[in-house]
Amino acid sequence: MNLLELASGFATEGTPQRVEPLGTGNVNATYVVEVTGGRRYVLQRLNTAVFERPDLVMANLETVVRHCRQRLAADIPSGDRPPWQVPTPVPLRGGAHAELDAPRHLLHHGNGSWRMITFIEGAHSLDCLQHSSEAQEVGRALGRFHALIHDLPAAQLADTLEGFHVTPRYHARYLEVLSAGATGASAVAQRLSDPQAQACVAFMEARQDLVPVLEQAREAGHLRLRPIHGDPKVNNVMLCNATGCAVAMVDLDTVKPGLLHYDIGDALRSGCNPAGEETTDLEAVSFDLDLAAAMLRGYLHEAGAVLTRHDIAHLYDAVRLLPFELGMRFFCDHLQGDVYFRVNHARHNLERALVQFRLAESIEAQEPELRELISMLCDS
Ligand code: GN1
Ligand code: MG
């Protein structure tokens, strides 16, 4: 079955005419489908090596979308901004092509699980930010999203990605892979012999104390779990073409209880490195304090009231930890032979890891300024 045939399994308003790859997601394969009449939709093949239960992913998505829609319906519209939009799953067309036990939004074909989601029209996303105005909107988007989902009951969501953002778990896995590579002539050992891989190993070894900072604060009762987006990287924020205002957050597969710090750290690590996470020019990688200030300002404008004294005290740690964690995830995946993140070439995940570690270093080099910025913004 080709992509157009797959697309026609869903109840679109019009007949699918064209399918093209969309975006730069590292996990699912994503396409945009145009139907007669001009409407567009997002078609995705879920990566079942990552999301082992696509049925539960779709059930969660339905729950999150329903909750956001109810909240938005009760909201007083703010006249000066375009309305907030929610990407919504499209049901299967009369059950066509679906296996009998498939949920109403999932099309099983071969060993793939496909779903369709509405396209946010009149908006675009950015892979890298250049201007403070963009960063402020990304911050507002995350704050708005947190405000929308803050009362989503955890019991309504299945945990479809256990251990997501729990840094000590990634670290434990990394240490296992590392020790597997310490002996013999395995593929892991061979990858570890590369000088850039050795630099990654040394970088992480020097920062072992960083690994448990957030989880320890959670265990001590200083930070508590709340519903989060989980993957708020900058290109998951849709900005209105006409006004530049944030109008949606997409990629809602990882919404579940977590620490707000995972989200805030992830938005800052992805948005405040103007070179972007796919650059191969390590010298160009740095953490931009002006972008960070604008993003935090935007976030606080929408959601500042929910941050406690302890939350604020751990913001710097979060901003430093998230690029470190992602670098470790990329590097570990490189050592294991790229089983999680989609890659274009054999060193791709190693290169991505080096970018994140360089970013973490840039954050460390600006620690006093960043701490000062956080306290200035949060105390005002
Ligand atoms: C993955 O699929 P995508 O590209 O939106 C990953 C995030 C990483 C991101 C880095 C479920 O997100 O955690 O931050 O790559 N998503 C998952 O680009 O692991
Ligand atoms: Mg994602």
Side-chain angles (χ1 to χ4, degrees), residues 25-28 44 51 115 164 229-233 235-236 250-254:
N26 289 335
V27 172
N28 300 322
Q44 282 188 310
F51 295 109
R115 54 108 181 267
F164 193 48
H229 182 285
D231 187 7
K233 71 173 170 182
N235 57 16
N236 281 333
V250 299
D251 197 359
L252 308 182
D253 295 329
T254 47

Side-chain angles (χ1 to χ4, degrees), residues 177-190 192:
V177 173
L178 199 61
S179 63
T183 52
S186 63
V188 178
Q190 202 186 337
L192 272 171

